[in-house]
Amino acid sequence: LPVLFPSLPVQELRFDELRSKERAEVRQYEMWFQGCSHLLLDLGGNRGDTILRWLTEKSYSGRAKDQSVDKFYSLQARQEFCVLSFEPNSKFASILRTVESKMQERGFKVKVKTNTAVSDKFSRSMIYIDDASTHSYGTSLLPEKKVNFGGKFHSLGKGQSVNLVDLTLIMSSISKNVEIVVKMDIEGGEYDVLRSLVPSGLACSINLLIIEYHSHKLAKGTVPTGINEVMNWILEGNNCGVKIIHDD
């Protein structure tokens, strides 16, 4: 790993401190990753649009205004990827399981974790439901986050209990030669996750990061001013070299 981000012994210590159930979960991910030479981590699966666009549509645009992903991967190349998707909002559990089943029937290796949010730890927490927008795009672990819908900012609604998984430990179980694409649209949770990934050195194992930052929708003081630019500067620097697409 690059000198700027040395792999820290904290990684092994954190795994040793996990409860047996959590260790078993990390091992399950490690086993699932076997045989995958290309991997898409879909963080914030919503209703499964990312999975369907990635594996079935010739032009992948996500919610972005251009087809930046197509400059890196054709549909044929994307269809070589295993896809692991996480979505905390139970509203989408049924449709995501249907998407998972249909993609598996077509021969793609796809796994969906419903009622689950990526984080910097294994735990239980609450997500707060976006009941203002059409597709609950703004649902977040941060109760103070705002949703921009119809040109107005709205507060989040009632809470829902979800599982949290430690993305750093999950990524530590991926073989070093695997090409990794991460789509990260986790409604303000990206800062804690990236802050964990960077010192572990694992952020630099990401080949392409498709990300939507949400600092402008968080309460003042929640994250430092300029954090998006600093994070990009770190990840895109010569000692790391992550390619970044902004999907906003």
Side-chain angles (χ1 to χ4, degrees):
L1 292 172
V3 175
L4 182 59
F5 306 115
S7 184
L8 303 178
V10 166
Q11 189 83 355
E12 294 182 6
L13 290 174
R14 287 175 64 191
F15 184 79
D16 288 342
E17 292 170 358
L18 291 178
R19 296 174 297 178
S20 58
K21 179 182 177 181
E22 294 162 347
R23 290 189 190 183
E25 184 170 354
V26 174
R27 296 299 188 198
Q28 287 174 2
Y29 287 112
E30 183 176 22
M31 292 177 63
W32 190 85
F33 292 141
Q34 292 178 7
C36 296
S37 57
H38 304 78
L39 177 65
L40 169 64
L41 296 176
D42 176 25
L43 314 182
N46 201 259
R47 56 183 180 176
D49 289 348
T50 294
I51 301 172
L52 294 172
R53 288 176 177 134
W54 188 268
L55 294 175
T56 68
E57 295 187 14
K58 184 175 181 180
S59 177
Y60 177 90
S61 60
R63 293 164 56 202
K65 296 178 175 62
D66 59 31
Q67 289 77 36
S68 299
V69 173
D70 297 337
K71 299 174 184 178
F72 296 96
Y73 301 104
S74 66
L75 174 61
Q76 183 178 7
R78 296 198 302 270
Q79 289 179 335
E80 298 297 319
F81 278 69
C82 303
V83 179
L84 174 61
S85 181
F86 296 88
E87 172 54 46
N89 192 343
S90 61
K91 172 181 178 179
F92 301 112
S94 178
I95 190 170
L96 281 169
R97 284 193 290 268
T98 298
V99 169
E100 177 187 57
S101 177
K102 288 183 176 180
M103 293 300 97
Q104 290 174 351
E105 288 173 2
R106 294 184 56 172
F108 299 119
K109 188 171 182 179
V110 174
K111 182 179 182 66
V112 174
K113 295 289 289 184
T114 57
N115 198 231
T116 304
V118 293
S119 179
D120 57 353
K121 57 183 173 296
F122 281 100
S123 185
R124 292 282 295 176
S125 187
M126 299 290 290
I127 60 164
Y128 297 88
I129 306 299
D130 164 17
D131 51 14
S133 68
T134 308
H135 300 299
S136 293
Y137 285 131
T139 296
S140 176
L141 289 166
L142 306 174
E144 70 275 11
K145 179 187 167 290
K146 299 296 182 181
V147 178
N148 186 358
F149 183 68
K152 298 180 180 180
F153 280 93
H154 302 268
S155 297
L156 295 174
K158 63 180 180 180
Q160 172 190 310
S161 180
V162 297
N163 296 314
L164 299 182
V165 294
D166 189 326
L167 184 65
T168 298
L169 286 174
I170 290 172
M171 286 188 62
S172 71
S173 66
I174 302 172
S175 298
K176 292 182 179 180
N177 60 343
V178 174
E179 184 167 8
I180 303 173
V181 174
V182 175
K183 187 220 79 176
M184 188 179 293
D185 187 358
I186 52 176
E187 304 301 325
E190 62 271 15
Y191 301 106
D192 284 341
V193 170
L194 288 172
R195 186 167 57 178
S196 176
L197 284 176
V198 166
S200 73
L202 290 168
C204 299
S205 68
I206 299 172
N207 297 87
L208 176 66
L209 175 64
I210 307 166
I211 188 166
E212 180 175 355
Y213 289 115
H214 297 85
S215 58
H216 60 296
K217 296 180 181 178
L218 300 178
K220 185 176 180 180
T222 302
V223 294
T225 302
I227 184 64
N228 300 350
E229 292 77 11
V230 171
M231 192 60 69
N232 288 348
W233 178 74
I234 292 172
L235 295 174
E236 293 178 319
N238 292 334
N239 288 322
C240 197
V242 178
K243 299 179 180 67
I244 299 177
I245 292 174
H246 298 279
D247 187 5
D248 55 6

